[in-house]
Amino acid sequence: RLRRDSEPGRTAAASSATGSAVTAKAKPSWLLQALAVAILVVLAGGYAALRWRQSQSPATTAPAASATAAKPTVAVLPFRNLSGDPQNDYFSDGTTEEIITKLSKIKNLQVAPRMAVARYKGAQQDLKEIGKELGVRYILEGSVRKAENRVRITAQLMDTTSGFNLWAEDFDRDMKDVFAVQEETALKIADALNLRLTPQEEHAVRRRYTQDVQAYDAYLRGRSLQAQFIDVPAKLDMARKEFESALERDPNYAPALAGLAWVDGQYYRNIESDPARLERAAKYAERARAIDPDLSAAHDALGFVASSRYDYRKAAEEFREATRLDPEDGLAWDYLSWALAYQQPPDGAEAEKASREAIRLGFETMATDYHLGRALMIEGRYDDAIEAMERAQKLSPESSTPLFGLCQVYLAKGDYDKALSYWLRQPDKQRSTSLEGFWGASIYAARGEKDKALALLQVALEKGFNDFAAIDNNPHFNSLRSDPRFQKLVGRYRK
């Protein structure tokens, strides 16, 4: 009607009429136009209000079809240690890890990997930015204050799209109640996100590996040392002490048994090839698996024992099982890379993928860069391998393992003098292990120094090196194969 009344023909007709007729025609046209504009404003305002209300609902961040199909996404940032003692970091880190593990048992919730959030420890960064970086909508942050037999834990869950807190609570409890606090936190987050748990999921959330809080505390102390090193005896001894303390309190504490297996395995593999250590590691790992076949750390330990026995294919099976049980177990992915790179024939491409998955999960340590370097070496990417080994050295300057890695890369590259220089820079005790003896023999054989090569190979075999597939496929031993001394030596130990 507005268009009709404002058509040029009608306007002209109106102008030729009497003044009273023009006045009568113009008034309704003006009022109708004003009314139409008012209606449009109201409709636009109503639509904007509806969109704003939708944006505040936890269930809508995308079109309705995709929103109903998508799982809620949450990240648990490292809980701050407010105890005033940096040595209590292990406890706040352990609390973070426990809550992540419990939330991961909820099928309809997607949880950021625990290692991916580790880099935000102590970060002064806007939570919305962190949410975007991690690809999550909800963020749980909190703090822990541990003092003697009391613990105070605060936690709050925020929706990064709206900036609203969905849930917050303070827990001021006796230390013996710390398990209950972790469980309550996970269950209340599920409730805040309107997730209905199955009885099996609730049981998984409430599951405890031990009921003894002191055993748990000792385990966390030992666990905090695991990602820091491979071949530092003082730290290995500290970890052993804590795991043993945990087992004194609870002899069936499966994660602590797996921790002890790891300690003895590291000693045997990287420090001194004492068969008694490997046997102990195997017993601890078997006990851990018997108590809980679904504990990924038990399969990590079994795989480590198999690798130390040079059965890398068996080790790879155990590490794959660990990644199946816990896809976010960065240690298992790192170990899988190790086994794939050492098996015969080695699989450099798959080893590289496993290493990069460990790093993607946030598990970047000296060991991951060392194993990535070995994978790249097998692929013939020597410069990249050297760069990875040098990164490993920067991450752990006190470790000699990166030197061991560099000697392997330069040997593969054909720079035998440089390979020998890196091998000799390692401590005498570590050069005398079975694995180091094998690589030292390889370097001397490549240099044409047969006597030294045979002497070191004998040391390696005497100390338990029985990877005869590696000996048979080692191109650096080609100069020794026709030597009767080599044939006799290998024949004596070959099973």
Side-chain angles (χ1 to χ4, degrees), residues 21-95:
V22 171
T23 304
K25 194 80 174 175
K27 272 188 177 180
S29 174
W30 178 85
L31 288 171
L32 284 169
Q33 290 181 37
L35 179 61
V37 171
I39 291 170
L40 288 173
V41 169
V42 170
L43 288 174
Y47 179 73
L50 177 63
R51 293 294 294 170
W52 182 87
R53 287 182 62 192
Q54 288 177 336
S55 73
Q56 305 309 303
S57 169
T60 42
T61 53
S66 61
T68 54
K71 296 179 181 180
T73 52
V74 63
V76 182
L77 297 188
F79 276 42
R80 298 183 302 281
N81 170 23
L82 299 184
S83 67
D85 184 356
Q87 292 188 359
N88 279 337
D89 277 358
Y90 79 91
F91 192 83
S92 54
D93 292 344
T95 300

Side-chain angles (χ1 to χ4, degrees), residues 157-169:
L157 181 69
M158 192 189 91
D159 182 343
T160 62
T161 59
S162 67
F164 291 165
N165 281 347
L166 301 184
W167 167 80
E169 194 156 339

Side-chain angles (χ1 to χ4, degrees), residues 295-323:
L295 179 65
S296 65
H299 293 277
D300 285 340
L302 288 165
F304 200 101
V305 170
S307 290
S308 298
R309 289 172 171 165
Y310 307 103
D311 188 351
Y312 294 110
R313 292 194 178 277
K314 173 63 175 174
E317 290 175 9
E318 293 289 354
F319 297 142
R320 286 192 190 281
E321 178 65 4
T323 62

Side-chain angles (χ1 to χ4, degrees), residues 5-17:
D5 291 343
S6 60
E7 284 174 1
R10 293 186 179 274
T11 305
S15 63
S16 63

Side-chain angles (χ1 to χ4, degrees), residues 63-124:
S66 61
T68 54
K71 296 179 181 180
T73 52
V74 63
V76 182
L77 297 188
F79 276 42
R80 298 183 302 281
N81 170 23
L82 299 184
S83 67
D85 184 356
Q87 292 188 359
N88 279 337
D89 277 358
Y90 79 91
F91 192 83
S92 54
D93 292 344
T95 300
T96 306
E97 187 171 331
E98 282 293 329
I99 292 172
I100 291 173
T101 300
K102 291 183 181 300
L103 287 173
S104 299
K105 305 298 182 185
I106 301 172
K107 182 180 178 182
N108 290 322
L109 182 63
Q110 187 174 334
V111 186
R114 57 184 176 270
M115 294 170 184
V117 300
R119 68 179 184 271
Y120 295 103
K121 184 174 181 177
Q124 300 296 321

Side-chain angles (χ1 to χ4, degrees), residues 33 127 224 419:
Q33 290 181 37
L127 294 183
S224 69

